[in-house]
Amino acid sequence: MPLKVVTYNVNGIKARLPRVLEYLAEAQPDIVCLQELKASDETFPIAEIEAAGYGATWHGQKSWNGVAVLARGIQPAERQRGLSGEPEDEHSRYLECAITDPGGDELIVASLYLPNGNPRPGPKFDYKLRWIERLAARARALLAEEVPAVLAGDYNVIANDDDSYSTRAMAEDALMQPESRAGYRSLLAQGWTDALRTRYPGGGVWTFWDYQAGAWQRDAGFRIDHLLLSPMAADRLVDAGVDKAYRGREKASDHAPTWVALR
DNA sequence: ATGCCATCCACCGGATGA
């Protein structure tokens, strides 16, 4: 059985817990990276997640941000919390773990929540661009380790025109700016593989649909949740996709779980 | 140009999101 590695921006773990537990039970993913917990370390629902059969490591924050790594039957071992380069940055947006299976095989998995960057121009957009550079520095160090690694998360970057239902609607948005795209491309240029892009080179695959203006009903979405694979992980890629149906459920997140299957 | 909706916290409106 291939390994299913998922990234899922839950938009509030407390509000979304029934959906998350349902997803774990139904999809039986091996590894899940969560973003936008919107919960402090103390209020993360670890008891419920453990009861579902998952070990977890999390980096919470009250009200905003927050990321976690879950693994079925395994306790993810924390490697790094946050990105270096900006000590005053208090946002919980990066958590890197090592997941070792009973056979001794190790996979490095990071859950990341890249800043949105709106409104633009302004300090939030500047922060986004600095954060991408800090991520790129960490990504380069990971590649140098020559290990199987997955950088999974909400990148808040629409990388290509065909990754959005409407380039016109998003033209002024921070998610689609040339600087945002250049930052994302710099990761690919290092040697990371955009797994969904490999599987669906023609685009037209969405991972996010806004709550507003009937975006889900109109299928007006875009692709911003990405799984980047190191060369050793990319060699093991067998499939990738979006569990789109979860976006249509009661009290759904505005993102759908997005996944890769690795040999 | 704005609201459209949903989350959080903290008190029923404001900040944030994408």
Side-chain angles (χ1 to χ4, degrees):
Chain A
M1 273 284 282
L3 202 66
K4 184 168 184 173
V5 183
V6 177
T7 181
Y8 187 13
N9 179 321
V10 293
N11 187 17
I13 187 65
K14 279 171 257 178
R16 211 66 60 217
L17 190 57
R19 289 290 80 75
V20 171
L21 296 176
E22 181 177 271
Y23 183 71
L24 296 179
E26 292 173 6
Q28 293 278 305
D30 296 285
I31 297 169
V32 183
C33 295
L34 301 178
Q35 300 88 32
E36 276 209 87
L37 301 176
K38 296 185 173 180
S40 64
D41 280 338
E42 296 72 28
T43 56
F44 182 79
I46 183 60
E48 290 86 343
I49 285 168
E50 282 183 346
Y54 286 78
T57 299
W58 62 97
H59 187 196
Q61 184 179 338
K62 191 177 172 180
S63 304
W64 297 304
N65 311 314
V67 288
V69 178
L70 280 51
R72 189 148 57 105
I74 298 173
Q75 177 59 43
E78 182 172 326
R79 296 180 108 228
Q80 186 169 314
R81 170 173 300 238
L83 294 171
S84 62
E86 202 166 319
E88 64 278 22
D89 183 5
E90 303 269 306
H91 291 196
S92 299
R93 294 181 177 274
Y94 184 87
L95 182 63
E96 181 184 307
C97 293
I99 294 162
T100 309
D101 73 15
D105 283 334
E106 189 181 75
L107 180 67
I108 307 303
V109 176
S111 179
L112 65 96
Y113 177 43
L114 205 148
N116 169 307
N118 285 306
R120 177 201 65 86
K124 292 190 175 183
F125 189 63
D126 297 340
Y127 172 60
K128 175 179 194 152
L129 299 183
R130 290 198 308 277
W131 204 93
I132 297 178
E133 286 185 16
R134 292 164 61 203
L135 175 64
R138 181 62 197 153
R140 192 173 290 285
L142 272 176
L143 284 184
E145 294 189 40
E146 298 187 355
V147 289
V150 183
L151 293 174
D154 177 357
Y155 282 72
N156 273 317
V157 174
I158 298 168
N160 311 280
D161 285 354
D162 58 17
D163 288 323
S164 167
Y165 75 102
S166 165
T167 51
R168 205 171 117 185
M170 300 302 291
E172 295 306 314
D173 197 284
L175 278 59
M176 232 181 71
Q177 293 316 299
E179 299 94 326
S180 306
R181 288 180 162 183
Y184 186 75
R185 275 201 311 273
S186 78
L187 296 169
L188 304 183
Q190 287 180 3
W192 296 89
T193 295
D194 178 339
L196 268 284
R197 193 76 192 169
T198 299
R199 178 69 181 75
Y200 298 101
V205 175
W206 319 143
T207 67
F208 170 90
W209 296 258
D210 203 298
Y211 288 124
Q212 304 183 61
W216 169 247
Q217 288 74 15
R218 295 186 292 123
D219 197 28
F222 34 90
R223 186 176 74 98
I224 51 176
D225 299 278
H226 304 309
L227 296 119
L228 297 194
L229 311 181
S230 74
M232 286 183 71
D235 284 346
R236 294 163 56 181
L237 177 64
V238 288
D239 202 2
V242 181
D243 286 331
K244 185 176 174 179
Y246 287 84
R247 177 62 183 83
R249 296 211 176 172
E250 281 294 302
K251 295 280 284 176
S253 170
D254 39 6
H255 297 250
T258 304
W259 54 270
V260 293
L262 303 178
R263 241 187 331 267

